[in-house]
Amino acid sequence: MFETSETEISIIAGRIQLTVRNHTRIKIYNEKGQREANIKLNYIEKSHAENIQKIEGQTYNLDVNGNIKVTKLDKKNIFKKPVNNRISEIAFGLPEVKSGSVIEYRYTLHRTLLYVNEWSFQRNIPVVHSSVSLIYPPEFKFTPVPRAYQEIESDFKRGSTYDIQSYSMKNVPPLREEPYMSSELDYIQRIRFSLLGYFSHDVTIKVAKEWPKVIEELLDDEDFGLQLKKNIPRTKELDVQLNLNTSDYQRMVTIYEFVRKNMVWDGKKSIWALDGVRSAWDKKTGNSGEINLILVNLLKEAGLKASPVLVSTRDNGRVLSTDPTIHQFNTVMAYVLIDSSFFVMDATDKNTPASLVPPSVVMSEGLLISKSDNTALSESDWGWKVLWNENKVYEKQVNLSGIMAADGRISGTALVINKGYAKTEILSKNDPDSVSIANAYKAMHANMSFNELKLKNEQVDSLPFEQRLGFNFPSDENGDYRVININLFTGLNTNPFLGENRNSDVFFGYNQKYMIRGGFTIPESFAIEELPKNVRMITPDQTLVLTRMMQKSNNIVSYLITLDFKQPLYSVDEYKEFSEYYKQLNSLLNEPIVVRKNMQP
C-alpha cells in the first residue's frame, strides 16, 4: 500500500549521525502473501556502526460485524541474533495475519557511518506509493542517481539549517522475472544518493572516498587484508601432489581441487574471513570469504601470481565502479595470472573447473587487489577486470540413431556430450547420477522412456561430460501420417522469448555452440512424405547462425544441424530483432520429419 523512508543527517558534537525512519503498510490478499508478514532486518553491529530502535507493528482485521480489529506486535516476539561478527539480525512476525489482513510496521535505524542506502521503489509485489527523503545540512552536497523507466516525482526544499530532497513513485508494478535475466536487482526501479562532499565558508572536505582509500582500509582490516598474511599449514598430501606437477597451471589446478575437496562451504557468501582463515582451515568449513582467501594464500605460497578479486554474484546485482563502496560486493574469489592468461576460481563451486570463470560472475567486473610489499598503495596494486573469456563457451553435441517400427514407435541410442559451460550447467542443476539426469531428460520429453543411461567423466574437470542413452517414444500420429521429432536432448524445444516487450537484457553469459546430428531408419511400410529443407540463417550482425542439412538414402534420413550464438548478451534495444529471429530458429529446430503409410495395393 505504501513504503516510505526518511534519512536525516546530523552533526552532533562534531560527529556525523544518520537517522533512518522506515514505514511500510501491506495488504495481504491470499495465503501466499502471508510471507510478507515475516520481517528480517539486518544491521552492522560491529563497532556499534548501526543499531535499530523503536520497532512497532500491528495487524488490521475485520471482525464478524465489519469493525476494524487492531492487534499490536508484542515486544517479546522481536528476536535478535548475530549473523556473523559484523552483522546482526532482528526478526519478527506480525500477529494474526490471514487473507484480507493489512499489516504495518515501522522502525528507526541509527548509523555512525556516512552512507545513504539505495532506495528501491519496486518490489516483487505491486506498490501503490513509494517515497524516499533525504534531510541534511546544506553544507553537504548530494546528487540523485535514479535508475527507473517510470516517472519519478521529485521535490527539493532549501532551508536555513537543512535541505530536503524527496522522490516518489506511484502504482509501481511488481518486478517481472524474465528468462535469461542477469539479475533482478539490476532492473529494480530505484535511486541512490551520491555524496559529492562537504562545502562551507570555512572548509571544503571531499567526503566521498575513492577506490585507493577504500582498498587501503580493506587491506588493513583484520577480517580481510590481514588474513592474506596468514600461513596456511600445507598437508603432506598436498605437498606430494605439488611435487608431481611442474607447470604453473597444473600446480594451480592441484591447489584448487585440493581446497574444493577438503573445505565444506557453510552456504554463506562474504568477502570477510570472519572466523579467520586458520580457524576455518582447522575446522575444514567456512564461508566463501574464508575458503577463497585460504585458496589465495595457498596459491601464493606455491609461487603463483595470485590475488583476491572482489565480486558481486549474479543474484547480488551489478557493481557500479563509479561508487567506491565495499557493500556492493558479496564475495571474494581467487584471481591467478599465468603468462598472458588469467583464471578466476571459487572453491565453494564444486562443478566449475579452474579453466572457466565461475558462471555466477561470468561477464561481470571484479575488483582485483594485488597488494605489493610497498607501504603505499600504487596504481598497479588494484584494478577492474572483466571476468570473461570469449574462447570459453557453452558447447553441446547430440549424436543420435533411431529406428521407427511398423507401429510408429521409435527406439534408438543417443550420445550427449556437454563441454565447457554446458557441463557446468547440467551438473549444477542435477546430481551427477543417472536417475537425476534421466529425470531432467524426461522433463524435456514427457513421452520418452529410457532403457539405458551411462554417464562418463562427471567427476573429471578436464574432460567432457558424456551421457549415453537408450530411448524409445511414440511418434505423433495423424491419420496415415507419422511425425518424427528430431530436436531431442538439446534443451532447445521451447521458445523462452515469446514476449513482445522486455525490460531486461537477454543474458547468456557466454557464447554457445550446438551440433545435432543423427539418422532415422524408416520401415518399408512407410514412405518419407516431407523432409525439412536445407537452410542457413544468419542475423544481419552475424551473431546468430543456424545451418541445417538433411538428406535421405532409401529408407534412411540423416541430418546435421549447427547453431552458434556468437554474442553473450543482447540488449533491450536489440530484443525485437533477436526475438523475431529466435522464433524462426525455434520453428526450424522443431520442424519434424513427416512419413506416410504406404497405400495398400
Side-chain angles (χ1 to χ4, degrees):
M1 298 177 74
F2 70 75
E3 192 165 32
T4 65
S5 181
E6 179 184 272
T7 298
E8 182 176 348
I9 301 175
S10 305
I11 301 177
I12 303 174
R15 301 186 66 178
I16 294 175
Q17 177 173 296
L18 277 75
T19 302
V20 184
R21 304 176 185 92
N22 287 349
H23 186 189
T24 302
R25 182 180 292 168
I26 301 174
K27 169 78 172 182
I28 307 298
Y29 284 95
N30 51 45
E31 185 175 345
K32 184 178 179 180
Q34 293 180 26
R35 62 188 178 188
E36 298 293 337
N38 298 315
I39 313 301
K40 293 182 179 180
L41 308 172
N42 286 355
Y43 64 99
I44 304 172
E45 189 167 34
K46 185 174 183 179
S47 302
H48 306 290
E50 295 178 338
N51 69 82
I52 293 177
Q53 300 176 352
K54 298 181 181 179
I55 298 174
E56 299 177 348
Q58 51 198 9
T59 302
Y60 303 91
N61 287 307
L62 295 177
D63 63 18
V64 293
N65 297 317
N67 300 314
I68 297 176
K69 176 186 176 184
V70 181
T71 308
K72 293 186 177 296
L73 172 67
D74 192 328
K75 302 296 184 183
K76 294 185 295 184
N77 294 325
I78 301 175
F79 303 97
K80 171 185 171 183
K81 69 175 183 178
V83 176
N84 51 52
N85 64 9
R86 288 177 175 266
I87 306 295
S88 288
E89 176 187 273
I90 287 179
F92 57 90
L94 279 303
E96 296 191 18
V97 176
K98 57 187 177 181
S99 298
S101 298
V102 172
I103 61 172
E104 181 176 21
Y105 62 93
R106 70 180 81 200
Y107 63 92
T108 300
L109 180 144
H110 295 286
R111 176 183 295 147
T112 58
L113 305 173
L114 184 55
Y115 77 88
V116 181
N117 290 93
E118 185 175 65
W119 179 253
S120 296
F121 297 103
Q122 194 168 30
R123 296 179 55 158
N124 60 353
I125 57 175
V127 179
V128 177
H129 176 82
S130 177
S131 66
V132 59
S133 298
L134 180 62
I135 306 168
Y136 54 93
E139 290 82 6
F140 287 96
K141 298 299 178 186
F142 287 91
T143 183
V145 184
R147 300 177 71 176
Y149 56 84
Q150 277 186 251
E151 180 182 358
I152 301 178
E153 297 180 7
S154 63
D155 183 48
F156 177 78
K157 295 179 181 178
R158 182 175 296 280
S160 57
T161 56
Y162 285 96
D163 289 346
I164 304 176
Q165 292 188 42
S166 299
Y167 301 88
S168 64
M169 292 182 72
K170 296 178 180 178
N171 300 318
V172 187
L175 180 69
R176 185 181 66 182
E177 183 178 356
E178 297 176 314
Y180 293 96
M181 178 187 285
S182 60
S183 171
E184 290 185 0
L185 294 178
D186 291 336
Y187 299 98
I188 288 178
Q189 301 188 83
R190 60 196 188 275
I191 192 170
R192 69 181 180 90
F193 297 94
S194 178
L195 175 61
L196 301 180
Y198 181 88
F199 306 91
S200 71
H201 297 296
D202 302 320
V203 63
T204 297
I205 303 174
K206 191 175 182 181
V207 181
K209 295 178 182 178
E210 296 183 352
W211 281 116
K213 180 62 177 177
V214 172
I215 293 169
E216 284 182 356
E217 293 177 356
L218 185 64
L219 288 170
D220 289 334
D221 195 289
E222 61 181 336
D223 293 331
F224 187 89
L226 299 185
Q227 296 299 316
L228 295 172
K229 301 177 181 179
K230 304 289 184 182
N231 292 323
I232 305 297
R234 292 215 303 263
T235 66
K236 290 183 179 179
E237 179 186 355
L238 178 57
D239 286 334
V240 168
Q241 294 180 35
L242 289 174
N243 289 333
L244 296 174
N245 296 289
T246 56
S247 75
D248 285 347
Y249 179 78
Q250 287 301 326
R251 289 167 68 81
M252 177 190 73
V253 171
T254 296
I255 294 171
Y256 175 57
E257 291 181 351
F258 186 84
V259 176
R260 286 203 297 172
K261 176 183 175 182
N262 287 277
M263 293 297 297
V264 177
W265 181 37
D266 64 9
K268 298 176 181 177
K269 295 175 184 174
S270 177
I271 69 170
W272 312 107
L274 298 171
D275 290 333
V277 293
R278 290 290 296 269
S279 175
W281 182 249
D282 291 340
K283 294 186 297 183
K284 295 294 181 285
T285 185
N287 65 31
S288 64
E290 289 154 353
I291 291 175
N292 285 324
L293 290 179
I294 286 171
L295 176 60
V296 172
N297 280 349
L298 289 175
L299 290 166
K300 291 176 68 174
E301 288 176 14
L304 295 165
K305 192 173 182 180
S307 307
V309 58
L310 298 177
V311 293
S312 175
T313 55
R314 194 77 53 229
D315 57 352
N316 194 56
R318 188 182 298 119
V319 171
L320 293 175
S321 58
T322 56
D323 183 13
T325 52
I326 291 298
H327 74 270
Q328 294 188 87
F329 305 100
N330 68 333
T331 191
V332 60
M333 295 182 183
Y335 186 100
V336 177
L337 189 64
I338 299 177
D339 298 327
S340 59
S341 300
F342 74 89
F343 302 90
V344 180
M345 289 163 287
D346 175 13
T348 70
D349 184 341
K350 304 300 184 183
N351 298 306
T352 303
S355 59
L356 298 180
V357 174
S360 62
V361 296
V362 69
M363 210 186 167
S364 69
E365 280 193 301
L367 182 60
L368 180 67
I369 302 173
S370 55
K371 182 69 174 71
S372 63
D373 294 332
N374 300 328
T375 303
L377 189 74
S378 67
E379 291 184 3
S380 62
D381 288 331
W382 67 280
W384 290 98
K385 302 294 181 182
V386 178
L387 309 181
W388 187 66
N389 184 338
E390 65 177 353
N391 297 317
K392 303 298 182 180
V393 303
Y394 177 109
E395 187 171 358
K396 180 180 285 191
Q397 297 178 13
V398 178
N399 302 284
L400 185 144
S401 176
I403 299 175
M404 191 176 88
D407 63 356
R409 193 162 190 87
I410 297 171
S411 60
T413 60
L415 174 62
V416 183
I417 301 174
N418 297 73
K419 300 179 181 179
Y421 285 106
K423 177 179 179 179
T424 299
E425 180 187 74
I426 191 171
L427 293 179
S428 298
K429 292 182 177 179
N430 305 279
D431 294 329
D433 59 64
S434 57
V435 174
S436 180
I437 301 298
N439 287 336
Y441 285 129
K442 286 178 181 177
M444 291 183 192
H445 310 293
N447 295 327
M448 186 175 290
S449 59
F450 302 98
N451 51 40
E452 178 189 28
L453 178 54
K454 295 182 179 179
L455 309 181
K456 185 178 180 181
N457 302 328
E458 62 269 32
Q459 302 290 352
V460 184
D461 280 349
S462 59
L463 296 176
F465 177 40
E466 298 182 4
Q467 308 119 69
R468 193 174 296 275
L469 309 101
F471 64 87
N472 64 83
F473 64 93
S475 59
D476 292 334
E477 183 177 9
N478 185 0
D480 291 335
Y481 294 90
R482 291 281 181 167
V483 175
I484 304 173
N485 176 22
I486 62 174
N487 185 14
L488 303 174
F489 311 115
T490 63
L492 299 172
N493 307 80
T494 59
N495 181 3
F497 306 110
L498 294 174
E500 292 187 8
N501 300 306
R502 189 177 169 103
N503 294 318
S504 64
D505 300 332
V506 176
F507 181 86
F508 295 117
Y510 25 71
N511 296 336
Q512 302 169 76
K513 297 175 69 69
Y514 293 85
M515 184 167 67
I516 310 158
R517 70 172 80 196
F520 285 93
T521 301
I522 310 301
E524 292 182 358
S525 55
F526 283 84
I528 298 171
E529 179 74 8
E530 186 176 346
L531 198 64
K533 296 178 180 179
N534 293 341
V535 67
R536 182 173 174 83
M537 288 186 59
I538 307 175
T539 53
D541 60 5
Q542 299 186 355
T543 61
L544 281 168
V545 181
L546 170 69
T547 302
R548 183 180 68 192
M549 299 179 66
M550 307 285 300
Q551 67 178 22
K552 60 180 179 178
S553 177
N554 298 322
N555 65 332
I556 298 176
V557 176
S558 57
Y559 56 90
L560 173 63
I561 301 172
T562 61
L563 174 61
D564 289 326
F565 291 79
K566 300 180 180 181
Q567 187 168 301
L569 180 146
Y570 293 85
S571 69
V572 171
D573 294 336
E574 298 173 292
Y575 177 70
K576 185 175 182 179
E577 291 77 12
F578 170 83
S579 63
E580 285 300 320
Y581 180 87
Y582 203 96
K583 289 176 185 177
Q584 298 177 52
L585 178 154
N586 186 254
S587 177
L588 288 170
L589 287 175
N590 289 311
E591 190 173 350
I593 298 170
V594 179
V595 298
R596 178 177 55 83
K597 288 183 181 180
N598 286 325
M599 301 298 293
Q600 296 295 327

